[in-house]
Every structure is written in structure tokens, then in C-alpha cells.
Amino acid sequence: MSETKRHFDFDLAIIGGGSAGYAAARTASADGVKTVVIEGGEDVGGLCILRGCMPTKALLYAAEVMHLADQAEIWGIHKRELSFNFSEVMARKNALIKEFADFREQQLTNGKFAFFRAHARFTDAHTLELLPHRSHSRERKEALISAPTAGGHKHPRHLPTKLTAKDFLIATGSTFAPSPLPQLNEIDCLNSDTALKLTHLPGSLIILGGGAVAVEFAQFFARFGVKVTLIQRSPHVLHEFDSDAAAELEKVFRREGIVVYTRTKLLDARCSAGQKEVIFVHEQQTIHANADEVFFALGRIPNVAGLGLEHIGVQLEYHRIATNAQMQTTIPHIYAAGDCAGLHEIVHIAVQQAEIAAHNIAHPGQMKRMDYRLLTEVIFTDPQIATVGLTEKRAHVRNIPYLVASYPFRDHGKSLIMEARDGFVKLLADPINGEIIGGCCVGPLGGELIHEIIAAMHSRMTVHQLAAMPHYHPTLAEIWTYPAEELASKIKE
Ligand SMILES: Cc1cc2nc3c(=O)[nH]c(=O)nc-3n(C[C@H](O)[C@H](O)[C@H](O)COP(=O)(O)OP(=O)(O)OC[C@H]3O[C@@H](n4cnc5c(N)ncnc54)[C@H](O)[C@@H]3O)c2cc1C
């Protein structure tokens, strides 16, 4: 039977109910596509809400409040003794996360599409086998399996063992990367999931890795009094960012008492005398670091195991599901979005990819494509590090000519008022026409400030236009006018 004539249970089956899965379901169902989301996790909400962006930022904000309170004398404010209660810090985070997760569960079960709690895997290119999650109680299954009918579509009111669909979206997220050193598996390391469940703080902590998760947790723990040692293989933390940005963060970390080792090679890990020990090479010396706990922050990989992709011809590329710019895998009616499709583990990218996939499924005659020109990344340390578009590193790799100018926060009115003297802003411009092609902010509220450059780049503004745009005084945002003016003076309008 031809595929157009064949009857399917659903138009679209989405595997995974995280940020990408939900975004695709919302978009597709609004376009009249009969959709089902299958979520196999123990809790509903996805990584961002349950164990990623939201809980970590809630904790980092608490750490920032703690730091500001500790520094209050700068502004003539004298505290009595400063103290904290770690259980209360974690309880506030937990309450917020519950609120976000409850809301997401409502969005997933509001009847606009069907929602099944099960683990899914392909048995052929149009069929999924569904395995109910072991931990789901009978009542919960009843509550979550049966989505009411909506949009004129009839959804099954019980969990089928199999379902068919015309199109699919794989949105299964990511999982922890395997350990590069088998000994690390023997010493029971913390990771970003288990650290969020701690009931008390360790006295000391070794963090393995220098990516976003590593540096954010390093500062959180250090600001709550934990003795932190961070061990990174590359010459700098955040090795994908420009080295001036990474070096600024390392400077602040060292000032706050974090011991940072870069250019290291891990040799061994073991438990000794009630502590955990990591042995590594640094500047030709063998170093033995000891701490109460070791935190594994050596990255994540796409979560694709057990989906049966190898049987249906969906190909992988460096662990991730290979897709084209329309988010189609090597089997065109099967799409992938979010962390499982890799490239960037960033939630708004996961959402954007998913919305594009859903649009393309609903409108195959008017396909949209992903565009990473405005790729934005934010590290929520203090100072925050935020970039959009090209960094100098990316421009070098792609051989793209640019002019660059930067300006430090230590020389800017509003940041001096805030005593936020670390960091700088940096603009990259096309040397011929002055179009802004990249921005970087290392400094106070960098994740907010970068949005001015996202907006400027979105409308393809030049440095001349940005320099001429009014900026209120005294604000942090007006700092962008200095590099814009410097570049404008070097490029003919
Ligand atoms: C500690 C940490 C902090 C982070 N902070 C930020 C941040 O500040 N900003 C940012 O942009 N990004 C951040 N991220 C990354 C961000 O969380 C992810 O990019 C985003 O959540 C990915 O969404 P997703 O939908 O692809 O995957 P997920 O949200 O992981 O969703 C995948 C879902 O699929 C389900 N699933 C998997 N396999 C199956 C199966 N076979 N059958 C059924 N269901 C299945 C899973 O249970 C899961 O719910 C952070 C990540 C971590 C780990």
C-alpha cells in the first residue's frame, strides 16, 4: 500500500516530552496535525526544568545573593554575622522546580495532543513499540496516559503496546558522557543530577571538566564555602569561547579561592583515607588532589541508545542523530531536534529546531531551515559570559575577516556603581560594510546585555547604527556604544 493511502494511528509521533518534544507538539497540534508525545522519564518536565537550566540557575542566584551580602560593606552596609541554611537553599530551588514541572505536565496533558508515559523504540520506520515505565503506578498511568480528545482527533484512552505514525520526531535529549578513566566509575562521583539532590555540602570538592556545567557548579559550591579544585584538560576553561573571556573567569575564580588547573591529563582516581583522590599531570608534574567528593562534569552525549535506529537506517554522526537544516534525519519522514540531534546543547536551540521540524511536517511544501547565524550562548557565572554570532575563535576557524573592539567594565560608570569591575564587552564587525557579526559580554548581567546585540544582528545593524542609537545613562547597556564607536571610526559608512 502506498504511504499516502496507508492508515496510521497518528500523523506525528514525538519521542520525548522535554523542551524540544513539547515545542514540536504545541506547534504541530496548532496546525491540525494529529500528534502524540511519548515520554519515558521517571518525572515529566525534561532536562531543562528538572535537572538543567532552571535548578542550576536558581542555585547560582542564591550564590550571588550570598556573595553580594558578603561584600555589602563596600556600599557601607554592615551585616551582623552572615550565615545560610543549605536545606533552605535547596528547598527554595525544589519548590520552584515543582512549580515549573507541574505547569509543563499541565501543558502536556491538556488534551491538544495525546500524551503517553512509556519508553518508545522503533520496530520499523513507521511503528513504535511502547514499554510502560517500571516506576509508573497504575493510578498515575491512568491519569497521564489518557489525554482527552481534542481538535476533532480521537486519541486512545489506554496505553497501546504499539503505535504507527506517518511522521516522527526524535527528541530524546542527552545523557552523561562515558568516563574517560574507568577508575572514576569506582569512586562514586557526583554529577549534575546528584549534586542537585545533596542534603549537605561537602567540605571540599574536585570538579573534573571546564565546560558550562563545571564552571557554574564550581562557583555555586565555592560561594557556599566549599573548597573547590577544578581540573580542566584544555589550556582554558570554556575551551570553545575566546581565551580572553575564559581567562577573565579564571582570574575571578582564583580570586574567590577556587584552585584552577588547566592543561592537565588525568591519570588515576581512587578512594584513600576516607577521601577521594584524583591524580593528574600538570606542567610535567604529577599532582595528587584530595577532596570529600569528586564531581564528574566531562560532558554529555546524545541519548540515542535503545531507540532501534540502526534497524531503520537513521544514521548517526559523532554520536548525534545526523539531520539536514530542515531537521530531517537520513530517513526523511523521521525528524530529530534538541540535544539528541546535537551541535549545541542549548534549550532555545532545541525549541527552535523542534518548531522547524513541526512546521515542516505540517507544511511539507513550505519547508523552513535552521539558521545558526544568531547562535547565542550564556554561562551563568559571575561575571556572566555571553556570546552571539561569531567569536574570534570561530571567525579564525572559518577564515572570516573581521575588525574587533572591546571595552572594560572597570572603566564604565554603571558597573563602577555596582562594583562589578570584572570583564568587558567585545564587538566583531565586517571590515567592509560595518555589519555587526559577533558580540561577547563578560560581565554583570551579560546574559541580559547580549540581547541588545542579538536584536542588532537580527536586523543586520552596522556598528555605525548601534553607535548612533540612543542609550540611557547610567546603564550597563550603554557600554556597547564604546566598541561600536571605535569600530565605526575605522570603517567607512
Ligand atoms: C546542569 C545543566 C544545566 C543547563 N543549563 C542550561 C542553561 O542555562 N541554558 C540552556 O539553554 N541550556 C542549559 N542546559 C541544556 C538544556 O537543558 C538542554 O539543551 C535541553 O533541556 C534539551 O532539551 P531536549 O528536549 O532536547 O531534551 P530533554 O529535555 O532531555 O528531553 C528528552 C526527553 O526524552 C525522554 N526520553 C528519552 N528517551 C526516550 C524514549 N526512548 N522514549 C520516551 N521518552 C524518552 C526523556 O525522559 C526526556 O524527558 C543545561 C543542561 C544541564 C545538564
Side-chain angles (χ1 to χ4, degrees):
M1 200 189 309
S2 84
E3 255 170 35
T4 42
K5 299 252 174 71
R6 188 172 156 192
H7 169 78
F8 296 107
D9 300 325
F10 291 92
D11 298 331
L12 169 63
I14 298 172
I15 312 175
S19 302
Y22 169 65
R26 184 188 53 196
T27 309
S29 58
D31 273 341
V33 177
K34 185 184 176 189
T35 301
V36 58
V37 175
I38 304 133
E39 169 54 53
E42 242 157 72
D43 298 300
V44 175
L47 180 65
C48 171
I49 291 176
L50 298 172
R51 301 176 308 278
C53 328
M54 302 311 272
T56 54
K57 269 79 250 183
L59 292 182
L60 277 164
Y61 194 74
E64 201 168 329
V65 172
M66 179 79 190
H67 181 72
L68 274 178
D70 194 41
Q71 306 283 306
E73 284 178 18
I74 293 172
W75 294 276
I77 297 162
H78 297 268
K79 71 242 174 214
R80 295 209 186 93
E81 206 166 318
L82 182 65
S83 66
F84 66 91
N85 180 323
F86 187 63
S87 308
E88 288 172 27
V89 172
M90 295 303 254
R92 181 173 190 276
K93 180 264 296 175
N94 293 341
L96 276 175
I97 297 321
K98 184 173 181 321
E99 218 176 289
F100 297 138
D102 286 350
F103 184 59
R104 175 52 52 85
E105 191 165 312
Q106 279 170 29
Q107 290 175 314
L108 284 163
T109 54
N110 66 8
K112 294 193 172 140
F113 43 84
F115 180 64
F116 294 163
R117 296 290 305 274
H119 184 273
R121 74 179 176 97
F122 286 95
T123 53
D124 67 48
H126 283 283
T127 309
L128 291 178
E129 180 184 46
L130 306 186
L131 305 160
H133 196 286
R134 278 192 313 274
S135 69
H136 297 164
S137 70
R138 192 177 168 75
E139 309 79 78
R140 193 154 173 79
K141 257 191 250 170
E142 293 302 326
L144 289 174
I145 285 166
S146 43
T149 43
H153 300 308
K154 281 200 176 119
H155 299 311
R157 298 189 67 85
H158 61 278
L159 181 66
T161 52
K162 281 192 173 188
L163 66 79
T164 59
K166 183 169 163 294
D167 293 303
F168 291 85
L169 175 74
I170 307 171
T172 48
S174 59
T175 185
F176 294 106
S179 164
L181 195 67
Q183 297 91 309
L184 287 171
N185 298 328
E186 309 298 318
I187 64 165
D188 196 17
C189 293
L190 288 174
N191 58 36
S192 59
D193 286 0
T194 52
L196 292 171
K197 294 186 189 150
L198 283 176
T199 52
H200 63 275
L201 285 167
S204 53
L205 179 68
I206 294 169
I207 297 194
L208 301 178
V213 170
V215 294
E216 289 183 357
F217 271 103
Q219 197 171 43
F220 163 72
F221 281 113
R223 285 188 164 183
F224 277 104
V226 177
K227 192 170 163 295
V228 175
T229 303
L230 186 144
I231 302 173
Q232 158 78 328
R233 189 177 58 175
S234 308
H236 284 290
V237 296
L238 302 174
H239 70 99
E240 286 180 5
F241 287 68
D242 286 348
S243 50
D244 52 0
E248 192 70 6
L249 187 64
E250 288 166 11
K251 179 192 84 181
V252 174
F253 272 17
R254 289 187 171 118
R255 191 175 69 214
E256 293 188 2
I258 300 174
V259 178
V260 180
Y261 289 101
T262 56
R263 296 180 200 274
T264 63
K265 185 172 185 298
L266 286 180
L267 293 181
D268 199 3
R270 60 189 174 215
C271 291
S272 85
Q275 284 225 310
K276 294 177 181 174
E277 185 176 28
V278 175
I279 301 153
F280 58 98
V281 177
H282 176 251
E283 293 178 352
Q284 280 106 46
Q285 299 220 334
T286 301
I287 312 244
H288 294 244
N290 290 281
D292 294 341
E293 292 292 350
V294 174
F295 187 123
F296 180 91
L298 294 171
R300 299 180 68 90
I301 54 167
N303 179 22
V304 294
L307 283 170
L309 299 183
E310 58 287 4
H311 306 306
I312 56 168
V314 170
Q315 282 171 19
L316 304 184
E317 199 175 76
Y318 303 111
H319 299 292
R320 72 181 194 97
I321 300 175
T323 64
N324 60 18
Q326 292 93 318
M327 304 317 300
Q328 289 166 298
T329 68
T330 42
I331 304 294
H333 72 273
I334 302 179
Y335 291 68
D339 286 4
C340 67
L343 286 188
H344 310 287
E345 288 168 11
I346 299 173
V347 77
H348 76 272
I349 299 281
V351 168
Q352 220 180 330
Q353 291 176 339
E355 287 173 349
I356 284 186
H359 168 91
N360 292 345
I361 287 163
H363 308 280
Q366 305 154 23
M367 289 251 189
K368 288 187 183 170
R369 298 165 62 85
M370 264 310 281
D371 177 7
Y372 297 99
R373 185 176 70 87
L374 299 180
L375 178 67
T376 304
E377 289 175 81
V378 179
I379 308 296
F380 290 88
T381 44
D382 173 18
Q384 295 186 1
I385 302 186
T387 63
V388 56
L390 287 179
T391 59
E392 291 194 73
K393 230 177 210 174
R394 286 191 201 124
H396 282 300
V397 169
R398 294 191 220 156
N399 224 359
I400 297 174
Y402 65 91
L403 279 180
V404 61
S406 55
Y407 199 86
F409 278 104
R410 67 167 183 277
D411 207 11
H412 183 57
K414 183 61 190 281
S415 45
L416 291 180
I417 290 170
M418 296 166 68
E419 197 61 30
R421 294 168 189 255
D422 298 306
F424 56 86
V425 289
K426 179 159 77 169
L427 282 180
L428 275 67
D430 182 316
I432 308 294
N433 62 15
E435 180 178 333
I436 301 165
I437 54 176
C440 170
C441 179
V442 181
L445 299 175
E448 311 296 327
L449 287 177
I450 200 69
H451 283 76
E452 175 168 346
I453 307 306
I454 301 176
M457 285 180 61
H458 186 258
S459 54
R460 295 197 176 271
M461 275 173 81
T462 63
V463 284
H464 311 88
Q465 289 167 323
L466 183 64
M469 203 176 92
H471 282 77
Y472 211 91
H473 176 76
T475 61
L476 288 173
E478 67 182 333
I479 195 172
W480 289 116
T481 57
Y482 305 124
E485 279 165 8
E486 186 183 326
L487 289 170
S489 72
K490 292 181 183 160
I491 305 168
K492 260 202 178 153
E493 213 172 342

